[in-house]
Amino acid sequence: MKKITLFLFLAFMSFALGFSQSNLTLDPCLKPFYHGVASGDPLQDRVIIWTRVTPEDISNVNISGTWKLATDNQMSNVITSGSFATDTSKDFTVKIDVTGLQAQTYYYYQFYSDGIGSPIGRTKTAPGDTTTNARFGVVSCANLEAGFFNVYKAMNQRNDVDAVLCLGDYIYEYETGGYEPNTATQRFWQPATETITLADYRARYSVYHLDPDLRRNQSIISLDSYLG
Ligand SMILES: [Fe+2]
């Protein structure tokens, strides 16, 4: 099976629990991986894994760490690993293209920085050449202010989805209240203004990734646009 599109994102899960759905603030339990982990853009032999390492001190401009990818969720059978460095130019995001993998196979991955491990993510490579069936989840129009991301949670609870396709509107770019009233949800976009600049977009993606259902599903991430 050929690579489908850059907007094909794998379903995967982490095992961090205990989030409050409406609390879009930094959860100290996740420090410094407040935005969780994610993966996507799979091929038969590779997949991209992602995280963000939020610095405690913004003057700490250079962040380094390591990552591992294993065949089990205890991270004991590690088949590949590496190191990373990130900084303000990437908004402290990390994006690794992990290669040398087997087609249509689940893998587990984790990042480490300053001795702290991130939530463990699960990912899956693209189907092999002889695959005849694949099941996709489809999402779109994720308006954080207008509602909750229950569908991400629902996807997370299934094991029969090979990949998730985001058809668009992974985020919205409106100013607060500019699309739908948020009186029922009491959820607020950041920045409150329409997203225009790079800093605006970074802030908007950041607040989305503080949503616990999105983060726990980690099913999708706009890897092309959230380069940091
Ligand atoms: Fe939409």
Side-chain angles (χ1 to χ4, degrees):
M1 176 178 284
K2 294 180 179 178
K3 174 181 173 184
I4 299 174
T5 74
L6 283 176
F7 293 99
L8 187 153
F9 301 108
L10 283 179
F12 72 113
M13 69 174 65
S14 78
F15 302 96
L17 301 174
F19 299 114
S20 167
Q21 188 168 40
S22 60
N23 182 11
L24 299 181
T25 57
L26 303 185
D27 183 340
C29 295
L30 294 177
K31 176 186 174 182
F33 300 98
Y34 301 108
H35 300 86
V37 298
S39 70
D41 201 7
L43 296 179
Q44 291 179 343
D45 66 341
R46 64 183 60 197
V47 67
I48 290 175
I49 59 174
W50 176 96
T51 193
R52 182 173 191 264
V53 188
T54 303
E56 210 166 342
D57 179 358
I58 196 64
S59 66
N60 182 14
V61 293
N62 295 302
I63 298 283
S64 61
T66 58
W67 58 270
K68 292 180 184 175
L69 186 136
T71 57
D72 65 298
N73 63 13
Q74 301 300 307
M75 302 303 297
S76 58
N77 186 30
V78 176
I79 59 167
T80 184
S81 60
S83 59
F84 68 80
T86 187
D87 54 34
T88 54
S89 70
K90 302 175 182 175
D91 194 29
F92 303 102
T93 57
V94 180
K95 186 179 173 185
I96 307 291
D97 195 1
V98 184
T99 60
L101 307 180
Q102 300 297 311
Q104 200 170 13
T105 303
Y106 281 115
Y107 292 101
Y108 300 83
Y109 61 95
Q110 189 173 24
F111 296 88
Y112 311 86
S113 184
D114 263 347
I116 302 174
S118 71
I120 296 171
R122 185 178 72 165
T123 190
K124 191 178 184 183
T125 45
D129 292 334
T130 58
T131 298
T132 56
N133 296 293
R135 185 187 300 273
F136 299 101
V138 176
V139 296
S140 69
C141 304
N143 187 329
L144 181 144
E145 286 198 345
F148 298 102
F149 292 166
N150 312 66
V151 69
Y152 292 145
K153 183 177 182 179
M155 283 183 168
N156 180 241
Q157 294 170 339
R158 297 180 59 147
N159 259 335
D160 59 349
V161 177
D162 292 296
V164 176
L165 296 164
C166 181
L167 304 185
D169 284 343
Y170 179 71
I171 65 163
Y172 277 79
E173 297 161 307
Y174 292 91
E175 72 278 11
T176 284
Y179 188 87
E180 293 282 346
N182 60 355
T183 48
T185 65
Q186 287 298 295
R187 284 151 66 94
F188 298 90
W189 282 324
Q190 295 174 10
T193 55
E194 179 186 1
T195 52
I196 297 173
T197 68
L198 175 60
D200 292 341
Y201 277 94
R202 284 173 168 172
R204 188 62 60 95
Y205 275 101
S206 173
V207 72
Y208 265 73
H209 278 260
L210 296 182
D211 178 278
D213 286 337
L214 185 153
R215 196 170 48 213
R216 286 183 63 185
N217 184 297
Q218 314 102 29
S219 54
I220 52 173
I221 181 169
S222 296
L223 288 167
D224 291 326
S225 49
Y226 194 26
L227 294 176

